[in-house]
């Protein structure tokens, strides 16, 4: 038996109610965590980018097939597109749309931000030793920090930890950008800024535990 509900009979009221519906904090946390860990993690991004561009897939998608099965707004077909690439572009758009809808809140979305930060904690770029070697090349930042903030050597070391984390995140942004570009996904300066700030916060937290 097919049931009908009040809101289905009165679409004007349904639209009004829909605007006030928000995803639960736990769902928004999960979405932020998954976005950070699976979509905006530099290590994962490098793997995804390589698989997208170098996977040996002989199933080529025609433009008609693209329009019928895979096309999404602001996505484009190109000559030689494989079935795997078409599926990835389609699924990435759907994922981002779901993420946007679920995180559409009137107030500050703390749950999603917390989930994103938690996912960033598992980013190995925040902990690999080579980030210190990379950031050591940024001597002008270190000297500027010491001139503007003449603290004890212990505190300077903690500041270096923050610089290490931020430098690693900045390096990882190129991998994330390549993935986003291949997947035809929007990725702006705001997203990059959040990633860098998250890494700096993690570095500050690690330094504070010393």
């Amino acid at each position: 038996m097919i049931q009908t509900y009040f809101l289905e009979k009165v679409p004007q009221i349904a639209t009004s109610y829909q605007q006030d519906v928000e995803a639960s904090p736990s769902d928004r946390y999960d979405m932020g965590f998954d976005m950070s860990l699976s979509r905006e993690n530099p290590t994962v991004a490098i793997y995804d980018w390589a698989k997208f561009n170098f996977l040996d897939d002989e199933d080529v998608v025609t433009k008609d097939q693209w329009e019928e099965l895979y096309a999404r707004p602001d996505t484009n077909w190109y000559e030689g597109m494989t079935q795997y690439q078409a599926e990835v572009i389609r699924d990435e758009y759907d994922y981002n749309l779901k993420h946007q809808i679920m995180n559409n809140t009137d107030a500050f979305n703390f749950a999603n931000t917390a989930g994103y930060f938690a996912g960033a904690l598992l980013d190995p770029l925040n902990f690999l030793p080579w980030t210190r070697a990379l950031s050591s090349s940024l001597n002008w930042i270190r000297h500027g920090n010491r001139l503007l903030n003449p603290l004890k050597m212990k505190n300077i070391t903690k500041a270096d930890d923050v610089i290490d984390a931020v430098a690693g995140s900045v390096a990882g942004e190129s991998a994330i950008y390549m993935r986003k570009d291949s997947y035809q996904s929007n990725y702006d300066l705001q997203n990059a800024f959040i990633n860098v700030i998250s890494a700096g916060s993690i570095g500050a937290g690690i330094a504070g535990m010393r």
Side-chain angles (χ1 to χ4, degrees), residues 87-184:
E87 291 175 349
V88 164
I89 293 172
R90 176 199 61 193
D91 295 345
E92 186 74 2
Y93 179 91
D94 293 345
Y95 178 92
N96 290 332
L97 180 61
K98 178 182 177 182
H99 184 274
Q100 179 182 353
I101 293 173
M102 290 188 64
N103 290 287
N104 185 19
T105 59
D106 294 331
F108 175 69
N109 194 348
F110 176 80
N112 181 258
T113 303
Y116 191 94
F117 182 83
L121 286 172
L122 302 179
D123 183 356
L125 277 178
N126 293 326
F127 307 102
L128 289 176
W130 66 266
T131 59
R132 178 174 297 278
L134 175 65
S135 63
S136 66
S137 63
L138 306 178
N139 290 324
W140 62 275
I141 295 180
R142 296 179 184 275
H143 294 325
N145 179 71
R146 294 178 183 180
L147 290 175
L148 295 175
N149 193 13
L151 301 176
K152 295 180 181 180
M153 185 59 67
K154 180 179 180 181
N155 291 332
I156 291 176
T157 302
K158 292 182 178 181
D160 289 345
D161 290 336
V162 178
I163 295 175
D164 290 344
V166 173
S169 179
V170 170
E173 289 305 305
S174 59
I176 297 174
Y177 175 80
M178 289 189 301
R179 180 191 183 277
K180 297 283 187 179
D181 184 61
S182 296
Y183 286 26
Q184 300 187 21

Side-chain angles (χ1 to χ4, degrees), residues 39-65:
R39 257 71 180 182
E40 297 183 1
N41 180 303
T43 307
V44 175
I46 292 173
Y47 171 80
D48 287 345
W49 176 83
K51 185 177 180 180
F52 184 92
N53 289 280
F54 300 107
L55 178 67
D56 187 13
D57 187 355
E58 298 179 356
D59 296 327
V60 177
V61 172
T62 66
K63 188 172 183 179
D64 291 337
Q65 290 175 324

